[in-house]
C-alpha cells in the first residue's frame, strides 16, 4: 500500500468529523485501550476471522475499574473443512485500571490477555517432521499480548481522538529467543457520531519469525486498520484490514469483521 495514501486518510477523517463525538473505545483492532466496561455491564464480541474461523469473547464489568472475561475460538467453522476448537479450554482476559485519565495525564491499565488471533497450531495435531521440530508450534498465527500495560489519552479534535501506547510480554508462545517484551500502539478518531477510524501497530519484537511471512519477507511488524460503525447504542460493527503489508493489493489483504454487542445486567 502506498504510504502517501495512508497520510491522506487522516486529513480526510478530520474534515469529515462532526462536532459530536463518541465515547472512547475499550479496544481497537487488536489491542486493548485503557477504556473499561461499566460496572454491571457486559460485552459479547464475535470476530469473523480468516479461513472461516470464529472467535467469541465475553467481557464483564465487575467494577468501573476491573473487568474480567473469557474467549473461545473455532477454526474452519464456515466452509467445507471440519470445524475444530482452537483450544479445549477458554482463554482469559483480566483488566484493571490503576489510574484514571485527567486533562493532563493518561489513564493507566494493567492486564492479562491470553487470546491470540488466527489459527492455533498444536503439536498434537501436526505430524510433519519439519513442523514438529519448529519453534512455531503451540501458538496462534498472531501471538496473544499476554501481560500488558497500556496508557491511553483522549483529546477533543472535532470529535474524540485517542492515542494508546503500551508494552506486552508473552512467555508461553514461540521460541525462547522470542520471549521478550513487545511494543504496541494505536489510535482512534471519530469520523462522525456513528463511525470511528481505528488502527494499531504491533511492533512484533517478540515475533520476528512469524509463520505468516514467507521466507523472503522482511519483518515489518503488524499494522491493522479499520472502521467501526455504531449501528445502535448497544451494537457496533468493525470492518478491518489486518497485517497490512506495503507490497499487497487490497484484494490480497486479510479482511475481517467483528460484531460487538454491549448490555447491562
Amino acid at each position: 500500500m502506498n504510504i502517501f495514501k495512508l497520510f491522506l486518510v487522516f486529513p480526510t477523517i478530520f474534515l469529515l468529523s462532526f462536532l459530536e463525538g463518541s465515547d472512547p473505545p475499550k479496544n481497537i483492532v487488536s489491542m486493548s485501550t485503557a477504556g473499561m466496561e461499566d460496572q454491571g455491564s457486559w460485552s459479547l464480541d464475535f470476530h469473523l476471522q480468516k479461513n472461516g474461523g470464529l472467535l467469541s469473547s465475553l467481557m464483564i464489568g465487575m467494577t468501573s475499574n476491573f473487568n474480567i472475561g473469557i474467549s473461545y475460538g473455532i477454526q474452519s467453522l464456515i466452509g467445507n473443512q471440519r470445524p475444530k476448537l482452537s483450544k479445549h479450554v477458554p482463554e482469559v482476559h483480566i483488566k484493571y485500571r490503576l489510574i484514571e485519565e485527567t486533562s493532563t495525564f493518561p489513564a493507566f491499565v494493567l492486564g492479562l490477555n491470553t487470546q491470540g488471533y488466527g489459527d492455533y497450531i498444536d503439536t498434537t495435531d501436526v505430524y510433519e517432521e519439519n513442523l514438529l521440530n519448529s519453534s512455531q508450534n503451540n501458538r496462534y498465527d498472531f501471538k496473544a499480548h499476554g501481560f500488558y500495560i497500556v496508557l491511553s489519552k483522549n483529546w477533543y479534535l472535532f470529535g474524540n481522538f485517542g492515542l494508546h501506547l503500551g508494552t506486552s510480554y508473552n512467555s508461553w508462545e514461540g521460541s525462547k529467543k522470542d520471549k521478550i517484551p513487545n511494543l504496541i500502539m494505536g489510535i482512534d478518531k471519530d469520523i462522525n457520531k456513528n463511525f470511528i477510524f481505528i488502527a494499531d501497530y504491533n511492533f512484533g519484537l517478540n515475533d520476528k519469525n512469524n509463520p505468516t511471512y514467507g521466507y523472503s519477507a522482511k519483518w515489518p511488524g503488524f499494522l491493522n486498520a479499520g472502521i467501526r460503525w455504531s449501528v445502535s447504542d448497544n451494537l457496533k460493527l468493525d470492518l478491518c484490514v489486518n497485517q497490512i503489508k506495503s507490497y499487497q493489493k487490497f484484494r490480497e489483504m486479510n479482511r475481517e469483521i467483528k460484531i460487538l454487542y454491549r448490555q447491562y445486567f
Side-chain angles (χ1 to χ4, degrees):
M1 177 178 287
N2 193 319
I3 300 298
F4 178 71
K5 293 180 181 179
L6 287 178
F7 282 104
L8 290 178
V9 171
F10 296 99
T12 302
I13 289 172
F14 278 94
L15 289 172
L16 291 174
S17 297
F18 291 173
L19 292 178
E20 183 179 357
S22 62
D23 293 331
K26 282 75 175 177
N27 55 71
I28 41 182
V29 185
S30 69
M31 69 172 285
S32 293
T33 71
M36 306 291 291
E37 299 293 340
D38 295 335
Q39 182 175 358
S41 69
W42 55 272
S43 64
L44 184 61
D45 300 348
F46 296 101
H47 186 178
L48 306 179
Q49 302 184 106
K50 65 177 184 178
N51 300 325
L54 173 65
L55 173 61
S56 56
S57 306
L58 174 67
M59 198 74 169
I60 299 174
M62 307 300 290
T63 72
S64 59
N65 287 327
F66 178 62
N67 293 175
I68 186 169
I70 60 173
S71 55
Y72 227 87
I74 303 177
Q75 299 169 196
S76 303
L77 179 65
I78 301 172
N80 61 357
Q81 302 295 317
R82 180 180 179 181
K84 182 183 72 171
L85 294 175
S86 296
K87 296 179 73 174
H88 295 290
V89 294
E91 304 288 6
V92 299
H93 190 179
I94 301 171
K95 188 176 180 182
Y96 182 71
R97 184 165 59 195
L98 287 171
I99 301 175
E100 299 282 350
E101 180 179 352
T102 68
S103 58
T104 307
F105 297 102
F108 179 82
V109 156
L110 291 174
L112 168 65
N113 189 355
T114 64
Q115 180 64 64
Y117 294 96
D119 293 339
Y120 184 78
I121 305 170
D122 191 338
T123 52
T124 60
D125 297 326
V126 178
Y127 299 97
E128 290 83 3
E129 183 178 353
N130 63 325
L131 286 178
L132 284 171
N133 294 328
S134 170
S135 63
Q136 305 302 338
N137 296 319
N138 295 322
R139 58 160 293 163
Y140 290 95
D141 286 342
F142 297 92
K143 295 166 60 173
H145 289 305
F147 297 96
Y148 67 86
I149 295 172
V150 171
L151 299 172
S152 293
K153 188 74 180 74
N154 294 277
W155 294 271
Y156 186 82
L157 297 171
F158 298 100
N160 186 73
F161 172 74
L163 175 64
H164 317 281
L165 303 173
T167 183
S168 63
Y169 178 69
N170 181 331
S171 63
W172 55 89
E173 288 185 86
S175 63
K176 290 184 178 179
K177 66 180 181 180
D178 285 338
K179 294 178 181 179
I180 59 175
N182 186 34
L183 297 175
I184 49 179
M185 64 181 297
I187 62 169
D188 64 271
K189 177 66 187 79
D190 287 353
I191 300 175
N192 57 40
K193 64 181 180 180
N194 294 320
F195 292 92
I196 304 173
F197 173 77
I198 52 178
D200 59 48
Y201 184 73
N202 180 338
F203 284 75
L205 303 177
N206 63 346
D207 203 9
K208 292 187 179 182
N209 295 313
N210 189 286
T212 62
Y213 288 105
Y215 292 107
S216 61
K218 295 182 179 180
W219 160 74
F222 311 114
L223 174 64
N224 312 297
I227 296 293
R228 176 166 296 169
W229 174 28
S230 296
V231 181
S232 68
D233 291 340
N234 296 332
L235 181 64
K236 302 181 189 299
L237 182 68
D238 287 1
L239 305 174
C240 300
V241 180
N242 296 346
Q243 298 90 49
I244 299 171
K245 303 177 181 70
S246 60
Y247 56 82
Q248 284 182 320
K249 296 181 179 180
F250 180 78
R251 65 175 181 270
E252 301 170 331
M253 295 180 181
N254 183 27
R255 302 173 299 278
E256 298 183 344
I257 295 175
K258 187 185 293 184
I259 302 168
L260 308 94
Y261 182 74
R262 304 288 186 270
Q263 192 55 271
Y264 286 83
F265 289 104

